[in-house]
Amino acid sequence: MLNAILSISLLALAFGLLLGYSAIRFRVEGDPLVERIDAILPQTQCGQCGFPGCRPYAEAIAADSAEINRCPPGGETAMLALADLLGRDPVPLDGEAAEEAEPVLAVIAEQECIGCTLCIQACPVDAILGAAKQMHTVIASECTGCGLCLPPCPVECIRLEPLKVDTGSWRWPFPTTPHDQMKAG
Amino acid sequence: MKEYLLIIISTVLVNNFVLVKFLGICPFMGVSKKLETAVGMGMATTFVLTLSSICSYLLNEYLLIPLGIEYLRTIAFILVIAVLVQFTEMVMHKTSPVLYQVLGIYLPLITTNCAVLGVALLNTQQQHGFIESALYGFGAAVGFSLVLALFAAVRERIIVADVPAPFRGSAIALITAGMMSMAFMGFAGLVAA
C-alpha cells in the first residue's frame, strides 16, 4: 500500500521535474523587443505609419527598418518612449505625424452630414456614433485624431480641429505612455 | 524474424485497431475530413504510439512488476503517455519547428487517444517482450494511419457525391466506416495471430 503510493508519487514527481526542466531548457523565444515596442504604440491600428497595423510597425522598428517617428496617434510621447526603450536619439515627428503633433479632434459638421455611415466604418476606435440616414457625431473622449474618417466622407463635413485646452479638458501631464493610458481608461 | 513480420501484418491488417478492435474512433471520425490532416495525424500517432509502447513496457517491466504494483498499470501508463507527449511537443517545438507546424494540434490530442493506452495495456496483457512491444505499437500506428488516410480519401469523394439529404455529413461517414470495417474483416484468417 505505502509502496504503491510512494512509487507512483515519486514517478509523478520525477516526470513533473522532467517537464519543468524541459520547459526551461527547450523554451522557444519569441522576440521580447517587439512585445515591448508594441506595448508603447497606441494600438489604434490606423495605418498612418505606412504599416498595416501597430504590430507590423513594431516588428519593423525592432528590425531597424523603420524610424520611430511615424506614429501620429502616439505623438511625441510614444516617440520619446520608443527612443528611451531603444536607446536611439529622439527625432522630430515625420510627415503627417508632424502636422498633427498637437492633439486634434475630428468634428462632424452635423447640419451637412447625410448619414452615409462611411466614416463609422473607417474609424479604427469606434468613436463615431450614428446610423444610416441619421446624423453622425464624434465621441470626443474616444477620438484619437487619426484623421482616417476624412477621406471616405462624400460631403466633406468632417474637420480636424485642434483640441482647445480649457479648464474642462486640461489634464495633468501624466508620465505614462499612451498605451498605459488606454489600459487605464 | 518471421514472428516480427507476423506481428506487423497482424496489427496493421488483421487486428486493425480502428476497424477491428474499435480503438481510437474519435480521431478516426474527427480528423478524417481532409487527407492532409489525416496524414499529419497519422504521423504524429505513429511517433507517439511507438515511443509510448516502448516506455510503458520499460515502466511495467522495471518498476511495476518488481514493486508488485501491477494493478496501478492504467494510472502509470496514462502518466507516462501524457508526459511523453508533452515532452515530445516541447523538444519538437525547439528543435524542428517545421515538423511542429505539420503535426500542430494533433500532437497534444493524442494524449487522450484510447488506442495509445490500449496498445500499452494489450502489450502487458499479451506478455510481449521489448522488441515485440515496440513492433506491436508501431504496427498498430501504421494500421491506424493507413485506415485514417483511406477513410479521409473516401470522405473527400463523398463530399462531392450526391448523397441523399438524410444521410449527409456524419451519417454517411459512419455508414462508410462500417463498410470499411466489414471489408477489413476479410483479412481475418490471413495470419493466425
Side-chain angles (χ1 to χ4, degrees), chain A residues 1 3-5 7-8 11-12 15-16 18-20 22-29, chain B residues 59 63-64 67-69 71-72 75-76 79-80 82-83 86-87 90-91 93-95:
Chain A
M1 174 69 181
N3 208 356
I5 294 173
S7 52
I8 291 293
L11 195 67
F15 282 147
L18 175 74
L19 282 189
S22 54
I24 299 167
R25 173 75 178 71
F26 297 109
R27 191 207 310 273
V28 175
E29 300 281 342
Chain B
L59 183 77
L63 195 78
L64 299 184
L67 289 172
I69 47 171
Y71 56 89
L72 287 176
I75 296 175
L79 191 66
V80 162
V83 168
Q86 279 299 312
F87 184 70
M90 283 178 198
V91 174
H93 198 169
K94 178 79 176 178
T95 54

Side-chain angles (χ1 to χ4, degrees), chain A residues 28-173:
Chain A
V28 175
E29 300 281 342
D31 195 345
L33 188 60
V34 174
E35 302 290 334
R36 287 170 68 189
I37 294 171
D38 200 36
I40 289 173
L41 296 175
Q43 306 301 319
T44 50
Q45 320 295 347
C46 65
Q48 289 178 91
C49 49
F51 294 92
C54 291
R55 197 173 172 92
Y57 181 44
E59 280 164 12
I61 294 176
D64 228 2
S65 60
E67 271 296 345
I68 55 174
N69 57 358
R70 305 192 56 86
C71 183
E76 198 165 356
T77 333
M79 189 275 294
L80 288 175
L82 285 172
D84 194 35
L85 173 70
L86 301 165
R88 292 196 201 169
D89 293 328
V91 277
L93 290 178
D94 182 42
E96 280 179 73
E99 290 159 26
E100 293 161 26
E102 57 182 309
V104 288
L105 200 65
V107 176
I108 295 177
E110 285 157 0
Q111 63 277 21
E112 293 167 32
C113 175
I114 55 168
C116 65
T117 74
L118 288 176
C119 56
I120 296 179
Q121 293 157 31
C123 182
V125 292
D126 286 341
I128 301 178
L129 198 67
K133 305 206 172 154
Q134 306 287 322
M135 183 189 77
H136 301 347
T137 194
V138 176
I139 306 168
S141 59
E142 299 292 323
C143 178
T144 60
C146 68
L148 283 182
C149 47
L150 267 60
C153 181
V155 293
E156 294 184 358
C157 69
I158 309 177
R159 291 185 314 281
L160 288 181
E161 289 191 350
L163 199 58
K164 285 192 264 337
V165 179
D166 55 25
T167 46
S169 65
W170 186 82
R171 301 225 180 102
W172 283 101

Side-chain angles (χ1 to χ4, degrees), chain B:
Chain B
M1 198 62 220
K2 191 182 158 203
E3 199 181 322
Y4 298 146
L5 196 68
L6 280 183
I7 287 181
I8 294 275
I9 294 175
S10 153
T11 46
V12 174
L13 296 175
V14 183
N15 290 316
N16 189 287
F17 268 73
V18 179
L19 293 180
V20 179
K21 288 196 197 292
F22 305 117
L23 289 169
I25 296 293
C26 168
F28 180 63
M29 297 307 292
V31 207
S32 60
K33 287 210 178 81
K34 278 173 69 189
L35 190 56
E36 272 172 43
T37 54
V39 170
M41 183 70 180
M43 274 160 58
T45 310
T46 308
F47 187 73
V48 170
L49 245 174
T50 313
L51 216 58
S52 73
S53 50
I54 292 172
C55 286
S56 55
Y57 170 80
L58 293 176
L59 183 77
N60 187 50
E61 201 71 2
Y62 296 106
L63 195 78
L64 299 184
I65 290 177
L67 289 172
I69 47 171
E70 294 100 321
Y71 56 89
L72 287 176
R73 211 175 268 150
T74 311
I75 296 175
F77 285 178
I78 290 174
L79 191 66
V80 162
I81 292 164
V83 168
L84 199 67
V85 172
Q86 279 299 312
F87 184 70
T88 314
E89 197 190 353
M90 283 178 198
V91 174
M92 199 179 281
H93 198 169
K94 178 79 176 178
T95 54
S96 133
V98 182
L99 195 59
Y100 180 78
Q101 282 210 321
V102 173
L103 300 184
I105 52 158
Y106 305 119
L107 204 55
L109 277 179
I110 297 169
T111 319
T112 51
N113 187 340
C114 62
V116 181
L117 185 63
V119 167
L121 289 174
L122 281 171
N123 265 334
T124 56
Q125 200 182 44
Q126 302 184 0
Q127 296 179 332
H128 283 150
F130 180 77
I131 296 177
E132 285 169 327
S133 295
L135 280 179
Y136 195 71
F138 179 71
V142 170
F144 176 83
S145 311
L146 174 74
V147 166
L148 199 64
L150 288 176
F151 190 52
V154 172
R155 276 184 90 171
E156 276 190 355
R157 294 195 176 198
I158 287 180
I159 286 176
V160 293
D162 186 21
V163 180
F167 287 104
R168 271 179 205 154
S170 298
I172 192 72
L174 285 166
I175 292 171
T176 315
M179 281 152 93
M180 278 182 79
S181 178
M182 279 193 278
F184 263 70
M185 281 179 182
F187 287 118
L190 187 68
V191 283

